[in-house]
Amino acid sequence: MRIVLIHPNYHSGGAEIAGKWSPAWVAYLAGFLKSGGYTDIRFIDAMTDDLTEDQLRAELAKEDHIDVIGCTAMTPSIYKAERALEIAKEMHPEAVCVLGGIHGTFMYNQVLKEAPWIDAVVRGEGEAVMLNLVESVHAGRWPNDRGQINGIAYREGEKVIATKPEPPIKNVDSIVADWSVLDWPKYIYIPLNVRVATPTMSRGCPFTCSFCSQWKFWRDYRVRDPKLVVDEIEHLMKEHEVGFFILADEEPTINKKAFVAFCQELIDRDLGIHWGINTRVSDILRDEEDLPFYRKAGLIHISLGTEAAAQLNLDLFNKETSVAENKKAIRLLRENGIVTEAQFIMGIDSETPETINETYEMVMDWGADMANWSMFTPWPYSDLYREMEDQVEVFDFEKYNFVTPIMKPKNMDRGELLDAVMNNYRRFYMRRSLFHYPWQKDPLKRRYLMGCLKAFIKSALERKFYDLGKFGYWGPQTIKKLKWNFDSTKKLDEKVDFGDVNAWKARTKRKEEEAEARMKAAEEGLGLSNGAAKATANGAVKRPLSEDERAEVVADLRAREKALAAAACGGGGDQQMSEAEMDAALSRVHAATTNPSQVAGNPQMDEEEQEAALR
């Protein structure tokens, strides 16, 4: 059985500017297939290699025979994925072509209608479904028994058939990733110039936020054994020379016991690797006393879902946090040597130049090391989309990438929105490059931030940041000439039917008890619920949580149900500038800090003093 897996060639100039990211989906899927006896697997990373259609054809032409071809797709990459599978079907018409990923999971009706060459769409968690499908093909039962394979959708004439869902894999520790399918020298994290991996510690979420689709995709919240996760990281370091990782979980700190156990295991093994996460402000405030311990475990970068600066917008997003709490969380992280990145969602209907400028003023007041402004993008399968679908004008999913202004605010056009956001970026990173990054006392943090600046400058000079080159943006003078290139022929054929989710999402005592039960089940499965030790910064052991303390944690978790999930970082990237060119660009930044002698000689001056000196 020859299996070929493809990552489609899609780029948007968002978080991928930090480097070329190792696609975790293929490692976990390949590992599960190999555990089922199917070891003849090849991976084509068209995104990282930036393959043209002709180059993809050439790669597929190297195969004498392929039995199954699989491709993944998020919403913005769906058209690239459909085209990749069309090319694959042209090259190998005998192969069964399969699409997986979040977009196909919910939009399978539209996908199968617009891409009839796709033989099946995998809906939801893919490992068990894909193994069952491959076994069916291997046994010669495909396509006759495809209706018996749970978790897929397929065409039967003009009709689309969806089989019943495949139950989530209860024991997520049975999914052992095979990272050897990746060509590791390609996956470099620019800030530290090391290989980067994106392992996961959990799947799903115990809560049902309207902005997020994770709870719908995974359907059940499960946590891996922290020791096995560290085993995986140690393997990545020793076998593939990985020097940095980011936990791909939506919120890895939500189960504090598991997260603490994970950190303690990293400390005990003294691996010396640094890593990053995305999480919520409320978790940082909850874990104030544990932050030195997290930093000791190697946690160097936290991206926070602050979302909006104005309290009005925070209330609109149901964030359950305040501006003051955002500021405190960032201060706590900085005091503990952890790089802070504030995330903002821009472009809601009430957005104005003043509210966009307010986010800049706020993030400077907060003192965040980094900031990221993402465009408001309602996924077509989210509950939030239903609430505002009458405002959506663009159905070209390729532009649903958090950098293209899909939504048009009531009092701004899209060009003005983009320019205001770019003005925030220009001001923020110019000030940070002159008055903040070079003066960090911590050598590691200074090197890390200067590396982030390198990635930012590189993407800007290449005109890849935020898709600016594609839009034709060169500054305020061009905002009336921007070309969004929305494909107006793209339409949403039909609304996504999730069934009666209102009953599932009802904030009742029953719902709260179910969420608590999932948390307890995850802890019990890891042996963390009956007297598990709590680690501290110096490695000491404290008593387990009391019933009152547990009640406080549960209350905090219940409050999260109303929160919106932050936009996550991920993707891949391009590298076209040479290192010499990059170093030359950075030297020009350094020169700005060293010309005025009083600034160079006083690295401990505060930002206002340094700015005054430069003036």
Side-chain angles (χ1 to χ4, degrees):
M1 280 289 292
R2 180 63 165 170
I3 302 169
V4 173
L5 303 174
I6 302 173
H7 196 84
N9 185 16
Y10 177 81
H11 303 275
S12 66
E16 65 192 54
I17 69 172
K20 296 176 183 285
W21 299 85
S22 51
W25 72 270
V26 71
Y28 290 108
L29 180 58
F32 198 81
L33 290 174
K34 289 185 177 181
S35 69
Y38 298 96
T39 60
D40 191 6
I41 300 173
R42 181 190 173 196
F43 175 51
I44 300 175
D45 193 345
M47 180 179 185
T48 296
D49 293 335
D50 198 18
L51 299 182
T52 64
E53 291 188 359
D54 286 341
Q55 289 171 326
L56 177 59
R57 285 193 183 90
E59 290 298 317
L60 291 168
K62 296 177 182 179
E63 303 290 333
D64 294 330
H65 174 78
I66 306 176
D67 295 287
V68 177
I69 302 172
C71 187
T72 189
M74 300 183 298
T75 292
S77 64
I78 183 59
Y79 304 135
K80 296 292 186 182
E82 289 175 352
R83 179 58 179 150
L85 287 176
E86 184 177 20
I87 292 170
K89 181 64 82 171
E90 292 170 358
M91 299 291 296
H92 298 275
E94 76 287 353
V96 177
C97 289
V98 183
L99 177 78
I102 193 166
H103 188 85
T105 292
F106 301 115
M107 309 294 290
Y108 59 87
N109 272 298
Q110 183 158 336
V111 167
L112 289 169
K113 290 177 181 177
E114 64 192 14
W117 52 86
I118 294 176
D119 296 298
V121 172
V122 172
R123 296 161 40 236
E125 186 174 65
E127 287 88 356
V129 178
M130 191 66 170
L131 178 58
N132 291 337
L133 188 152
V134 168
E135 288 176 342
S136 174
V137 175
H138 185 214
R141 300 193 304 267
W142 183 274
N144 294 333
D145 75 343
R146 56 187 176 172
Q148 305 305 312
I149 301 174
N150 292 342
I152 67 170
Y154 58 90
R155 287 175 64 101
E156 194 170 82
E158 295 300 313
K159 187 178 180 181
V160 173
I161 306 294
T163 64
K164 65 180 182 180
E166 173 72 15
I169 299 172
K170 291 185 178 180
N171 180 16
V172 286
D173 289 326
S174 67
I175 307 171
V176 180
D178 177 18
W179 292 99
S180 67
V181 297
L182 304 183
D183 186 3
W184 277 100
K186 299 175 181 177
Y187 303 105
I188 301 298
Y189 188 57
I190 295 175
L192 293 177
N193 192 32
V194 295
R195 296 181 185 181
V196 60
T198 52
T200 60
M201 193 171 74
S202 65
R203 287 192 171 186
C205 180
F207 303 104
T208 54
C209 303
S210 64
F211 184 82
C212 182
S213 56
Q214 289 297 309
W215 59 275
K216 294 175 183 174
F217 182 83
W218 299 109
R219 293 189 297 136
D220 196 10
Y221 175 66
R222 294 146 291 160
V223 183
R224 297 176 61 193
D225 184 334
K227 291 185 177 180
L228 295 181
V229 181
V230 179
D231 284 344
E232 183 177 339
I233 291 166
E234 188 169 8
H235 173 81
L236 285 163
M237 294 177 66
K238 293 180 177 178
E239 298 299 323
H240 303 297
E241 301 178 22
V242 167
F244 186 82
F245 70 89
I246 288 183
L247 287 177
D249 309 42
E250 287 296 304
E251 189 183 351
T253 56
I254 191 170
N255 189 317
K256 182 176 179 179
K257 288 186 177 181
F259 190 72
V260 166
F262 171 75
C263 291
Q264 186 64 61
E265 192 69 21
L266 286 171
I267 292 172
D268 291 345
R269 299 194 198 187
D270 194 22
L271 297 179
I273 191 170
H274 294 99
W275 47 289
I277 63 171
N278 297 282
T279 194
R280 282 176 47 81
V281 166
S282 57
D283 283 16
I284 300 303
L285 301 179
R286 178 198 69 190
D287 298 349
E288 178 176 352
E289 295 183 0
D290 298 294
L291 295 179
F293 168 66
Y294 295 162
R295 180 63 186 83
K296 183 179 179 181
L299 181 55
I300 185 64
H301 185 164
I302 293 183
S303 181
L304 289 172
T306 49
E307 256 80 45
Q311 188 62 51
L312 174 63
N313 287 351
L314 284 171
D315 295 339
L316 174 65
F317 285 142
N318 230 355
K319 282 300 296 181
E320 294 288 326
T321 57
S322 68
V323 170
E325 288 171 332
N326 290 341
K327 183 175 183 178
K328 180 180 179 181
I330 288 172
R331 175 179 60 79
L332 291 173
L333 292 176
R334 289 189 62 187
E335 288 174 353
N336 287 281
I338 299 174
V339 171
T340 60
E341 180 179 2
Q343 299 273 358
F344 297 99
I345 294 177
M346 313 306 300
I348 62 174
D349 192 47
S350 60
E351 203 77 83
T352 65
E354 291 74 24
T355 61
I356 295 174
N357 180 68
E358 186 179 27
T359 64
Y360 169 76
E361 298 292 344
M362 282 289 186
V363 78
M364 294 303 297
D365 177 61
W366 296 347
D369 299 303
M370 301 172 64
N372 179 44
W373 287 270
S374 298
M375 293 296 181
F376 180 43
T377 307
W379 300 120
Y381 36 81
S382 69
D383 290 349
L384 188 61
Y385 182 90
R386 294 198 218 180
E387 298 172 11
M388 58 186 314
E389 59 184 332
D390 58 333
Q391 301 175 35
V392 181
E393 303 172 338
V394 177
F395 300 98
D396 181 356
F397 292 138
E398 190 168 57
K399 306 301 194 301
Y400 279 53
N401 49 25
F402 291 107
V403 303
T404 305
I406 294 297
M407 306 298 293
K408 178 190 173 301
K410 184 183 302 182
N411 299 311
M412 301 180 72
D413 63 34
R414 290 184 174 88
E416 292 171 330
L417 173 60
L418 177 66
D419 183 61
V421 169
M422 288 302 105
N423 189 39
N424 279 4
Y425 274 111
R426 284 190 294 266
R427 293 183 291 170
F428 180 84
Y429 282 101
M430 178 59 70
R431 289 192 63 179
R432 285 292 180 253
S433 68
L434 296 177
F435 311 121
H436 185 75
Y437 297 166
W439 315 117
Q440 293 297 306
K441 296 178 182 179
D442 183 341
L444 172 63
K445 188 175 180 182
R446 181 171 61 248
R447 180 165 70 94
Y448 187 91
L449 288 170
M450 292 303 292
C452 291
L453 180 63
K454 173 180 178 178
F456 180 78
I457 294 175
K458 176 182 180 296
S459 67
L461 294 178
E462 292 175 348
R463 305 295 298 149
K464 292 177 179 176
F465 176 69
Y466 233 81
D467 260 357
L468 298 183
K470 295 179 183 178
F471 299 152
Y473 176 84
W474 289 93
Q477 71 278 10
T478 62
I479 61 175
K480 298 298 183 182
K481 303 177 182 178
L482 298 181
K483 297 179 180 179
W484 303 113
N485 297 317
F486 294 133
D487 187 343
S488 59
T489 67
K490 302 293 185 183
K491 303 295 181 182
L492 189 63
D493 287 350
E494 56 188 78
K495 297 180 181 179
V496 180
D497 182 12
F498 298 123
D500 185 13
V501 295
N502 289 330
W504 184 12
K505 293 189 61 178
R507 293 179 174 90
T508 62
K509 181 176 176 56
R510 177 187 61 80
K511 175 60 187 166
E512 294 173 349
E513 290 173 349
E514 288 175 357
E516 181 180 352
R518 285 196 293 272
M519 290 292 293
K520 286 183 177 179
E523 292 176 0
E524 289 172 359
L526 299 173
L528 297 174
S529 60
N530 50 356
K534 177 182 177 182
T536 61
N538 59 10
V541 175
K542 291 185 177 180
R543 58 172 174 77
L545 292 176
S546 68
E547 287 303 313
D548 288 343
E549 290 170 331
R550 169 176 281 279
E552 291 181 5
V553 172
V554 170
D556 175 70
L557 292 174
R558 289 173 178 171
R560 295 175 202 274
E561 185 175 4
K562 299 179 181 179
L564 303 179
C569 294
D574 303 305
Q575 288 188 7
Q576 293 184 356
M577 293 181 67
S578 67
E579 287 299 312
E581 291 171 327
M582 197 66 253
D583 290 339
L586 279 178
S587 68
R588 291 193 290 272
V589 175
H590 284 295
T593 66
T594 56
N595 282 339
S597 59
Q598 66 267 46
V599 177
N602 291 276
Q604 305 310 319
M605 296 170 69
D606 63 33
E607 291 189 8
E608 290 186 3
E609 292 172 329
Q610 292 172 8
E611 192 170 28
L614 283 178
R615 287 199 300 268

